[in-house]
Amino acid sequence: MSDEARSAAVRQAIRRELAGDRVEAAPDGALAAAPEPPVIELSHVWLAFEQPVLEDVSLTVRRGETLVVVGESGTGKSTILRLILRLLVPDRGEVCIDGERINDLSFEAALHIRRKIGMVFQSAALFDSMTVFDNVAYPLREQRTLTDDQIEARVRETLTLVDLDPDQVMHQLPAELSGGMRKRVGIARGVVADPEIMLYDEPTSGLDPLTTGTITRLIMKLQHELGVTSVVVSHDLRATFRMATRVAVLADHHVVFLGTPEEMTASDDPYLRDFLGGL
């Protein structure tokens, strides 16, 4: 098969995927009519350590949207999540959450911003010595606003939301769970405090195809049922095209594409065509 024929076959397969059960983007008119500023905005962001990481990166995420960030390894995808969490500060440019510039916030003010955000790490990052219940309850206990009974009720509700049986898993340790179950517990901990924003770092990494599908559908379910604004870093194009309302492609320290999955597959840009064909 020629390279051109292979590329066409890949793009056709992705279009068939788009016809499945991915999240539907809001109509363009509805988004354009929204007067409020973006929930997340990176404006002309530059960041370097020993080498450049991001150069003049700009992107926005609207309320209720799922932006999936893809790209080759080492392109700075996870760095974008750390900037949103204000764990990193750009060398130049601005990062805004709900219209508020967060670059120069104090430690206490940064903590206030982080309370709006739920984070799901690549490895789930659960506390090994704590039960599932204590892992999920941890953010609620940090807030110190709920009674023990209220915390238990909230943990049970959230575990059910991520399709886990509270009575079965609450008293188990992370080591007793499968990889997919650990991911779901990580998601439960991320959403238990009702965040406005959810960040996912490679949520399907290391999972088999069936479990990957389960986690992808769960992220879509949370967007539909909770209306959270989500940013997902992923290397999995199949999952990306199912869950994304928009896709950002990073290459050579820049955002080289920002648009809908349909726009991405329709693009004649040589790099995007190679990227889609290579994956």
Side-chain angles (χ1 to χ4, degrees), residues 76-110:
K77 301 186 297 295
S78 296
T79 299
I80 287 176
L81 300 185
R82 294 183 177 94
L83 287 165
I84 295 169
L85 277 167
R86 216 266 189 185
L87 297 175
L88 293 173
V89 178
D91 299 325
R92 292 156 54 189
E94 292 189 339
V95 181
C96 297
I97 303 295
D98 284 334
E100 179 180 1
R101 186 178 188 271
I102 67 171
N103 297 47
D104 305 317
L105 294 182
S106 66
F107 177 77
E108 292 77 12

PDB file of all heavy atoms in Angstrom, residues 76-110:
ATOM      1  N   GLY A  76       6.171  18.823  25.737  1.00  0.00           N
ATOM      2  CA  GLY A  76       5.676  19.771  26.739  1.00  0.00           C
ATOM      3  C   GLY A  76       4.212  19.622  27.078  1.00  0.00           C
ATOM      4  O   GLY A  76       3.625  20.528  27.680  1.00  0.00           O
ATOM      5  N   LYS A  77       3.614  18.484  26.739  1.00  0.00           N
ATOM      6  CA  LYS A  77       2.177  18.299  27.009  1.00  0.00           C
ATOM      7  C   LYS A  77       1.874  18.385  28.501  1.00  0.00           C
ATOM      8  O   LYS A  77       0.987  19.121  28.929  1.00  0.00           O
ATOM      9  CB  LYS A  77       1.715  16.945  26.447  1.00  0.00           C
ATOM     10  CG  LYS A  77       1.925  16.767  24.952  1.00  0.00           C
ATOM     11  CD  LYS A  77       1.312  15.483  24.427  1.00  0.00           C
ATOM     12  CE  LYS A  77       1.925  14.220  25.018  1.00  0.00           C
ATOM     13  NZ  LYS A  77       3.336  14.042  24.654  1.00  0.00           N
ATOM     14  N   SER A  78       2.595  17.588  29.311  1.00  0.00           N
ATOM     15  CA  SER A  78       2.336  17.591  30.758  1.00  0.00           C
ATOM     16  C   SER A  78       2.736  18.911  31.401  1.00  0.00           C
ATOM     17  O   SER A  78       2.185  19.298  32.440  1.00  0.00           O
ATOM     18  CB  SER A  78       3.078  16.431  31.427  1.00  0.00           C
ATOM     19  OG  SER A  78       2.582  15.188  30.957  1.00  0.00           O
ATOM     20  N   THR A  79       3.670  19.633  30.785  1.00  0.00           N
ATOM     21  CA  THR A  79       4.064  20.945  31.298  1.00  0.00           C
ATOM     22  C   THR A  79       2.880  21.905  31.297  1.00  0.00           C
ATOM     23  O   THR A  79       2.737  22.732  32.202  1.00  0.00           O
ATOM     24  CB  THR A  79       5.213  21.513  30.446  1.00  0.00           C
ATOM     25  OG1 THR A  79       6.338  20.634  30.529  1.00  0.00           O
ATOM     26  CG2 THR A  79       5.627  22.897  30.923  1.00  0.00           C
ATOM     27  N   ILE A  80       2.017  21.789  30.298  1.00  0.00           N
ATOM     28  CA  ILE A  80       0.832  22.649  30.237  1.00  0.00           C
ATOM     29  C   ILE A  80      -0.062  22.418  31.457  1.00  0.00           C
ATOM     30  O   ILE A  80      -0.587  23.370  32.046  1.00  0.00           O
ATOM     31  CB  ILE A  80       0.070  22.403  28.920  1.00  0.00           C
ATOM     32  CG1 ILE A  80       0.854  23.023  27.751  1.00  0.00           C
ATOM     33  CG2 ILE A  80      -1.345  22.976  28.972  1.00  0.00           C
ATOM     34  CD1 ILE A  80       0.252  22.775  26.393  1.00  0.00           C
ATOM     35  N   LEU A  81      -0.220  21.158  31.873  1.00  0.00           N
ATOM     36  CA  LEU A  81      -1.015  20.882  33.073  1.00  0.00           C
ATOM     37  C   LEU A  81      -0.377  21.519  34.303  1.00  0.00           C
ATOM     38  O   LEU A  81      -1.084  22.069  35.160  1.00  0.00           O
ATOM     39  CB  LEU A  81      -1.151  19.375  33.282  1.00  0.00           C
ATOM     40  CG  LEU A  81      -1.821  18.564  32.166  1.00  0.00           C
ATOM     41  CD1 LEU A  81      -1.980  17.108  32.586  1.00  0.00           C
ATOM     42  CD2 LEU A  81      -3.172  19.162  31.794  1.00  0.00           C
ATOM     43  N   ARG A  82       0.933  21.452  34.407  1.00  0.00           N
ATOM     44  CA  ARG A  82       1.614  22.028  35.577  1.00  0.00           C
ATOM     45  C   ARG A  82       1.498  23.555  35.599  1.00  0.00           C
ATOM     46  O   ARG A  82       1.438  24.161  36.673  1.00  0.00           O
ATOM     47  CB  ARG A  82       3.074  21.586  35.595  1.00  0.00           C
ATOM     48  CG  ARG A  82       3.237  20.084  35.808  1.00  0.00           C
ATOM     49  CD  ARG A  82       4.696  19.668  35.901  1.00  0.00           C
ATOM     50  NE  ARG A  82       4.799  18.243  36.184  1.00  0.00           N
ATOM     51  CZ  ARG A  82       4.935  17.295  35.254  1.00  0.00           C
ATOM     52  NH1 ARG A  82       4.998  17.643  33.971  1.00  0.00           N
ATOM     53  NH2 ARG A  82       5.013  16.030  35.585  1.00  0.00           N
ATOM     54  N   LEU A  83       1.462  24.172  34.430  1.00  0.00           N
ATOM     55  CA  LEU A  83       1.247  25.616  34.369  1.00  0.00           C
ATOM     56  C   LEU A  83      -0.164  25.975  34.830  1.00  0.00           C
ATOM     57  O   LEU A  83      -0.367  26.957  35.555  1.00  0.00           O
ATOM     58  CB  LEU A  83       1.476  26.117  32.940  1.00  0.00           C
ATOM     59  CG  LEU A  83       2.933  26.171  32.471  1.00  0.00           C
ATOM     60  CD1 LEU A  83       2.989  26.333  30.954  1.00  0.00           C
ATOM     61  CD2 LEU A  83       3.695  27.303  33.160  1.00  0.00           C
ATOM     62  N   ILE A  84      -1.155  25.171  34.419  1.00  0.00           N
ATOM     63  CA  ILE A  84      -2.537  25.435  34.829  1.00  0.00           C
ATOM     64  C   ILE A  84      -2.688  25.272  36.340  1.00  0.00           C
ATOM     65  O   ILE A  84      -3.411  26.033  36.992  1.00  0.00           O
ATOM     66  CB  ILE A  84      -3.499  24.504  34.070  1.00  0.00           C
ATOM     67  CG1 ILE A  84      -3.470  24.817  32.569  1.00  0.00           C
ATOM     68  CG2 ILE A  84      -4.923  24.621  34.609  1.00  0.00           C
ATOM     69  CD1 ILE A  84      -4.186  23.786  31.708  1.00  0.00           C
ATOM     70  N   LEU A  85      -1.984  24.290  36.907  1.00  0.00           N
ATOM     71  CA  LEU A  85      -2.019  24.075  38.355  1.00  0.00           C
ATOM     72  C   LEU A  85      -1.171  25.090  39.121  1.00  0.00           C
ATOM     73  O   LEU A  85      -1.187  25.122  40.346  1.00  0.00           O
ATOM     74  CB  LEU A  85      -1.508  22.669  38.686  1.00  0.00           C
ATOM     75  CG  LEU A  85      -2.502  21.521  38.570  1.00  0.00           C
ATOM     76  CD1 LEU A  85      -1.775  20.191  38.625  1.00  0.00           C
ATOM     77  CD2 LEU A  85      -3.551  21.598  39.672  1.00  0.00           C
ATOM     78  N   ARG A  86      -0.430  25.884  38.388  1.00  0.00           N
ATOM     79  CA  ARG A  86       0.489  26.867  38.953  1.00  0.00           C
ATOM     80  C   ARG A  86       1.604  26.196  39.775  1.00  0.00           C
ATOM     81  O   ARG A  86       2.125  26.738  40.749  1.00  0.00           O
ATOM     82  CB  ARG A  86      -0.272  27.896  39.806  1.00  0.00           C
ATOM     83  CG  ARG A  86       0.316  29.307  39.708  1.00  0.00           C
ATOM     84  CD  ARG A  86       1.271  29.516  40.834  1.00  0.00           C
ATOM     85  NE  ARG A  86       1.757  30.865  40.988  1.00  0.00           N
ATOM     86  CZ  ARG A  86       2.682  31.177  41.889  1.00  0.00           C
ATOM     87  NH1 ARG A  86       3.171  30.241  42.681  1.00  0.00           N
ATOM     88  NH2 ARG A  86       3.097  32.410  42.009  1.00  0.00           N
ATOM     89  N   LEU A  87       1.962  24.973  39.352  1.00  0.00           N
ATOM     90  CA  LEU A  87       3.156  24.319  39.878  1.00  0.00           C
ATOM     91  C   LEU A  87       4.396  24.831  39.155  1.00  0.00           C
ATOM     92  O   LEU A  87       5.513  24.706  39.658  1.00  0.00           O
ATOM     93  CB  LEU A  87       3.040  22.800  39.712  1.00  0.00           C
ATOM     94  CG  LEU A  87       1.894  22.134  40.478  1.00  0.00           C
ATOM     95  CD1 LEU A  87       1.809  20.656  40.133  1.00  0.00           C
ATOM     96  CD2 LEU A  87       2.054  22.342  41.977  1.00  0.00           C
ATOM     97  N   LEU A  88       4.192  25.389  37.967  1.00  0.00           N
ATOM     98  CA  LEU A  88       5.236  26.059  37.216  1.00  0.00           C
ATOM     99  C   LEU A  88       4.739  27.449  36.847  1.00  0.00           C
ATOM    100  O   LEU A  88       3.529  27.677  36.720  1.00  0.00           O
ATOM    101  CB  LEU A  88       5.592  25.294  35.939  1.00  0.00           C
ATOM    102  CG  LEU A  88       6.260  23.927  36.085  1.00  0.00           C
ATOM    103  CD1 LEU A  88       6.374  23.257  34.722  1.00  0.00           C
ATOM    104  CD2 LEU A  88       7.633  24.063  36.726  1.00  0.00           C
ATOM    105  N   VAL A  89       5.670  28.369  36.659  1.00  0.00           N
ATOM    106  CA  VAL A  89       5.347  29.734  36.240  1.00  0.00           C
ATOM    107  C   VAL A  89       6.090  30.002  34.932  1.00  0.00           C
ATOM    108  O   VAL A  89       7.285  29.718  34.830  1.00  0.00           O
ATOM    109  CB  VAL A  89       5.764  30.763  37.316  1.00  0.00           C
ATOM    110  CG1 VAL A  89       5.474  32.179  36.830  1.00  0.00           C
ATOM    111  CG2 VAL A  89       5.039  30.491  38.623  1.00  0.00           C
ATOM    112  N   PRO A  90       5.423  30.527  33.910  1.00  0.00           N
ATOM    113  CA  PRO A  90       6.111  30.745  32.632  1.00  0.00           C
ATOM    114  C   PRO A  90       7.182  31.829  32.728  1.00  0.00           C
ATOM    115  O   PRO A  90       7.086  32.745  33.557  1.00  0.00           O
ATOM    116  CB  PRO A  90       4.972  31.175  31.695  1.00  0.00           C
ATOM    117  CG  PRO A  90       3.923  31.739  32.589  1.00  0.00           C
ATOM    118  CD  PRO A  90       4.004  30.941  33.868  1.00  0.00           C
ATOM    119  N   ASP A  91       8.179  31.718  31.874  1.00  0.00           N
ATOM    120  CA  ASP A  91       9.206  32.763  31.793  1.00  0.00           C
ATOM    121  C   ASP A  91       8.617  34.034  31.198  1.00  0.00           C
ATOM    122  O   ASP A  91       8.976  35.149  31.592  1.00  0.00           O
ATOM    123  CB  ASP A  91      10.368  32.288  30.919  1.00  0.00           C
ATOM    124  CG  ASP A  91      11.048  31.048  31.482  1.00  0.00           C
ATOM    125  OD1 ASP A  91      11.138  30.943  32.727  1.00  0.00           O
ATOM    126  OD2 ASP A  91      11.468  30.185  30.693  1.00  0.00           O
ATOM    127  N   ARG A  92       7.720  33.866  30.231  1.00  0.00           N
ATOM    128  CA  ARG A  92       7.011  34.984  29.596  1.00  0.00           C
ATOM    129  C   ARG A  92       5.598  34.524  29.290  1.00  0.00           C
ATOM    130  O   ARG A  92       5.325  33.344  29.179  1.00  0.00           O
ATOM    131  CB  ARG A  92       7.712  35.402  28.295  1.00  0.00           C
ATOM    132  CG  ARG A  92       9.079  36.027  28.488  1.00  0.00           C
ATOM    133  CD  ARG A  92       9.943  35.889  27.249  1.00  0.00           C
ATOM    134  NE  ARG A  92       9.322  36.403  26.035  1.00  0.00           N
ATOM    135  CZ  ARG A  92       9.845  36.207  24.816  1.00  0.00           C
ATOM    136  NH1 ARG A  92      10.969  35.513  24.678  1.00  0.00           N
ATOM    137  NH2 ARG A  92       9.233  36.702  23.748  1.00  0.00           N
ATOM    138  N   GLY A  93       4.701  35.492  29.155  1.00  0.00           N
ATOM    139  CA  GLY A  93       3.316  35.172  28.837  1.00  0.00           C
ATOM    140  C   GLY A  93       2.460  35.063  30.080  1.00  0.00           C
ATOM    141  O   GLY A  93       2.924  35.267  31.213  1.00  0.00           O
ATOM    142  N   GLU A  94       1.196  34.751  29.877  1.00  0.00           N
ATOM    143  CA  GLU A  94       0.231  34.719  30.972  1.00  0.00           C
ATOM    144  C   GLU A  94      -0.540  33.413  30.998  1.00  0.00           C
ATOM    145  O   GLU A  94      -0.842  32.831  29.952  1.00  0.00           O
ATOM    146  CB  GLU A  94      -0.778  35.877  30.826  1.00  0.00           C
ATOM    147  CG  GLU A  94      -0.183  37.260  31.030  1.00  0.00           C
ATOM    148  CD  GLU A  94      -1.271  38.327  31.078  1.00  0.00           C
ATOM    149  OE1 GLU A  94      -2.376  38.060  30.572  1.00  0.00           O
ATOM    150  OE2 GLU A  94      -1.014  39.408  31.640  1.00  0.00           O
ATOM    151  N   VAL A  95      -0.854  32.970  32.226  1.00  0.00           N
ATOM    152  CA  VAL A  95      -1.788  31.866  32.447  1.00  0.00           C
ATOM    153  C   VAL A  95      -2.927  32.411  33.288  1.00  0.00           C
ATOM    154  O   VAL A  95      -2.693  32.989  34.356  1.00  0.00           O
ATOM    155  CB  VAL A  95      -1.103  30.681  33.163  1.00  0.00           C
ATOM    156  CG1 VAL A  95      -2.103  29.532  33.353  1.00  0.00           C
ATOM    157  CG2 VAL A  95       0.125  30.199  32.392  1.00  0.00           C
ATOM    158  N   CYS A  96      -4.162  32.240  32.798  1.00  0.00           N
ATOM    159  CA  CYS A  96      -5.332  32.755  33.504  1.00  0.00           C
ATOM    160  C   CYS A  96      -6.324  31.634  33.782  1.00  0.00           C
ATOM    161  O   CYS A  96      -6.553  30.776  32.914  1.00  0.00           O
ATOM    162  CB  CYS A  96      -6.023  33.849  32.686  1.00  0.00           C
ATOM    163  SG  CYS A  96      -5.015  35.323  32.406  1.00  0.00           S
ATOM    164  N   ILE A  97      -6.902  31.638  34.972  1.00  0.00           N
ATOM    165  CA  ILE A  97      -7.980  30.732  35.355  1.00  0.00           C
ATOM    166  C   ILE A  97      -9.189  31.589  35.726  1.00  0.00           C
ATOM    167  O   ILE A  97      -9.089  32.468  36.585  1.00  0.00           O
ATOM    168  CB  ILE A  97      -7.585  29.843  36.563  1.00  0.00           C
ATOM    169  CG1 ILE A  97      -6.305  29.045  36.262  1.00  0.00           C
ATOM    170  CG2 ILE A  97      -8.737  28.907  36.926  1.00  0.00           C
ATOM    171  CD1 ILE A  97      -6.437  28.031  35.151  1.00  0.00           C
ATOM    172  N   ASP A  98     -10.314  31.343  35.066  1.00  0.00           N
ATOM    173  CA  ASP A  98     -11.520  32.150  35.281  1.00  0.00           C
ATOM    174  C   ASP A  98     -11.231  33.644  35.168  1.00  0.00           C
ATOM    175  O   ASP A  98     -11.728  34.464  35.950  1.00  0.00           O
ATOM    176  CB  ASP A  98     -12.139  31.849  36.657  1.00  0.00           C
ATOM    177  CG  ASP A  98     -12.887  30.532  36.671  1.00  0.00           C
ATOM    178  OD1 ASP A  98     -13.359  30.107  35.590  1.00  0.00           O
ATOM    179  OD2 ASP A  98     -13.010  29.924  37.753  1.00  0.00           O
ATOM    180  N   GLY A  99     -10.396  33.996  34.192  1.00  0.00           N
ATOM    181  CA  GLY A  99     -10.079  35.396  33.944  1.00  0.00           C
ATOM    182  C   GLY A  99      -9.058  36.000  34.880  1.00  0.00           C
ATOM    183  O   GLY A  99      -8.708  37.178  34.726  1.00  0.00           O
ATOM    184  N   GLU A 100      -8.559  35.229  35.845  1.00  0.00           N
ATOM    185  CA  GLU A 100      -7.583  35.733  36.808  1.00  0.00           C
ATOM    186  C   GLU A 100      -6.180  35.278  36.438  1.00  0.00           C
ATOM    187  O   GLU A 100      -5.924  34.089  36.269  1.00  0.00           O
ATOM    188  CB  GLU A 100      -7.913  35.243  38.219  1.00  0.00           C
ATOM    189  CG  GLU A 100      -6.931  35.713  39.274  1.00  0.00           C
ATOM    190  CD  GLU A 100      -7.270  35.205  40.669  1.00  0.00           C
ATOM    191  OE1 GLU A 100      -8.268  34.468  40.798  1.00  0.00           O
ATOM    192  OE2 GLU A 100      -6.523  35.539  41.617  1.00  0.00           O
ATOM    193  N   ARG A 101      -5.272  36.236  36.315  1.00  0.00           N
ATOM    194  CA  ARG A 101      -3.873  35.926  36.013  1.00  0.00           C
ATOM    195  C   ARG A 101      -3.240  35.269  37.231  1.00  0.00           C
ATOM    196  O   ARG A 101      -3.280  35.826  38.328  1.00  0.00           O
ATOM    197  CB  ARG A 101      -3.115  37.207  35.649  1.00  0.00           C
ATOM    198  CG  ARG A 101      -1.679  37.003  35.181  1.00  0.00           C
ATOM    199  CD  ARG A 101      -1.086  38.359  34.803  1.00  0.00           C
ATOM    200  NE  ARG A 101       0.210  38.243  34.183  1.00  0.00           N
ATOM    201  CZ  ARG A 101       1.381  38.230  34.831  1.00  0.00           C
ATOM    202  NH1 ARG A 101       1.378  38.331  36.165  1.00  0.00           N
ATOM    203  NH2 ARG A 101       2.531  38.123  34.193  1.00  0.00           N
ATOM    204  N   ILE A 102      -2.661  34.078  37.037  1.00  0.00           N
ATOM    205  CA  ILE A 102      -2.154  33.333  38.184  1.00  0.00           C
ATOM    206  C   ILE A 102      -0.629  33.328  38.279  1.00  0.00           C
ATOM    207  O   ILE A 102      -0.081  32.760  39.226  1.00  0.00           O
ATOM    208  CB  ILE A 102      -2.667  31.877  38.177  1.00  0.00           C
ATOM    209  CG1 ILE A 102      -2.073  31.084  37.004  1.00  0.00           C
ATOM    210  CG2 ILE A 102      -4.190  31.846  38.147  1.00  0.00           C
ATOM    211  CD1 ILE A 102      -2.374  29.593  37.076  1.00  0.00           C
ATOM    212  N   ASN A 103       0.053  33.988  37.361  1.00  0.00           N
ATOM    213  CA  ASN A 103       1.523  33.949  37.349  1.00  0.00           C
ATOM    214  C   ASN A 103       2.145  34.352  38.679  1.00  0.00           C
ATOM    215  O   ASN A 103       3.068  33.690  39.167  1.00  0.00           O
ATOM    216  CB  ASN A 103       2.071  34.887  36.263  1.00  0.00           C
ATOM    217  CG  ASN A 103       1.676  34.482  34.868  1.00  0.00           C
ATOM    218  OD1 ASN A 103       0.524  34.180  34.617  1.00  0.00           O
ATOM    219  ND2 ASN A 103       2.630  34.502  33.943  1.00  0.00           N
ATOM    220  N   ASP A 104       1.655  35.428  39.262  1.00  0.00           N
ATOM    221  CA  ASP A 104       2.323  36.029  40.415  1.00  0.00           C
ATOM    222  C   ASP A 104       1.565  35.833  41.718  1.00  0.00           C
ATOM    223  O   ASP A 104       1.773  36.578  42.681  1.00  0.00           O
ATOM    224  CB  ASP A 104       2.530  37.530  40.166  1.00  0.00           C
ATOM    225  CG  ASP A 104       3.291  37.789  38.868  1.00  0.00           C
ATOM    226  OD1 ASP A 104       4.279  37.076  38.613  1.00  0.00           O
ATOM    227  OD2 ASP A 104       2.876  38.686  38.114  1.00  0.00           O
ATOM    228  N   LEU A 105       0.711  34.846  41.783  1.00  0.00           N
ATOM    229  CA  LEU A 105      -0.065  34.635  43.000  1.00  0.00           C
ATOM    230  C   LEU A 105       0.823  34.202  44.164  1.00  0.00           C
ATOM    231  O   LEU A 105       1.833  33.525  43.980  1.00  0.00           O
ATOM    232  CB  LEU A 105      -1.129  33.561  42.768  1.00  0.00           C
ATOM    233  CG  LEU A 105      -2.259  33.885  41.782  1.00  0.00           C
ATOM    234  CD1 LEU A 105      -3.230  32.714  41.719  1.00  0.00           C
ATOM    235  CD2 LEU A 105      -2.991  35.155  42.198  1.00  0.00           C
ATOM    236  N   SER A 106       0.411  34.561  45.361  1.00  0.00           N
ATOM    237  CA  SER A 106       1.074  34.059  46.558  1.00  0.00           C
ATOM    238  C   SER A 106       0.773  32.578  46.722  1.00  0.00           C
ATOM    239  O   SER A 106      -0.106  32.023  46.039  1.00  0.00           O
ATOM    240  CB  SER A 106       0.561  34.816  47.791  1.00  0.00           C
ATOM    241  OG  SER A 106      -0.822  34.515  48.002  1.00  0.00           O
ATOM    242  N   PHE A 107       1.471  31.926  47.639  1.00  0.00           N
ATOM    243  CA  PHE A 107       1.253  30.497  47.892  1.00  0.00           C
ATOM    244  C   PHE A 107      -0.195  30.242  48.297  1.00  0.00           C
ATOM    245  O   PHE A 107      -0.842  29.313  47.802  1.00  0.00           O
ATOM    246  CB  PHE A 107       2.210  30.024  48.992  1.00  0.00           C
ATOM    247  CG  PHE A 107       2.017  28.571  49.367  1.00  0.00           C
ATOM    248  CD1 PHE A 107       2.506  27.566  48.558  1.00  0.00           C
ATOM    249  CD2 PHE A 107       1.342  28.233  50.534  1.00  0.00           C
ATOM    250  CE1 PHE A 107       2.320  26.227  48.895  1.00  0.00           C
ATOM    251  CE2 PHE A 107       1.156  26.896  50.888  1.00  0.00           C
ATOM    252  CZ  PHE A 107       1.655  25.898  50.061  1.00  0.00           C
ATOM    253  N   GLU A 108      -0.731  31.084  49.189  1.00  0.00           N
ATOM    254  CA  GLU A 108      -2.102  30.899  49.668  1.00  0.00           C
ATOM    255  C   GLU A 108      -3.107  31.113  48.539  1.00  0.00           C
ATOM    256  O   GLU A 108      -4.091  30.368  48.421  1.00  0.00           O
ATOM    257  CB  GLU A 108      -2.399  31.859  50.822  1.00  0.00           C
ATOM    258  CG  GLU A 108      -1.639  31.563  52.107  1.00  0.00           C
ATOM    259  CD  GLU A 108      -0.180  32.000  52.067  1.00  0.00           C
ATOM    260  OE1 GLU A 108       0.202  32.747  51.117  1.00  0.00           O
ATOM    261  OE2 GLU A 108       0.578  31.594  52.968  1.00  0.00           O
ATOM    262  N   ALA A 109      -2.876  32.119  47.714  1.00  0.00           N
ATOM    263  CA  ALA A 109      -3.796  32.386  46.607  1.00  0.00           C
ATOM    264  C   ALA A 109      -3.738  31.262  45.571  1.00  0.00           C
ATOM    265  O   ALA A 109      -4.759  30.903  44.976  1.00  0.00           O
ATOM    266  CB  ALA A 109      -3.456  33.729  45.952  1.00  0.00           C
ATOM    267  N   ALA A 110      -2.544  30.706  45.358  1.00  0.00           N
ATOM    268  CA  ALA A 110      -2.410  29.578  44.426  1.00  0.00           C
ATOM    269  C   ALA A 110      -3.178  28.357  44.948  1.00  0.00           C
ATOM    270  O   ALA A 110      -3.801  27.629  44.169  1.00  0.00           O
ATOM    271  CB  ALA A 110      -0.942  29.233  44.216  1.00  0.00           C
TER     272      ALA A 110
END
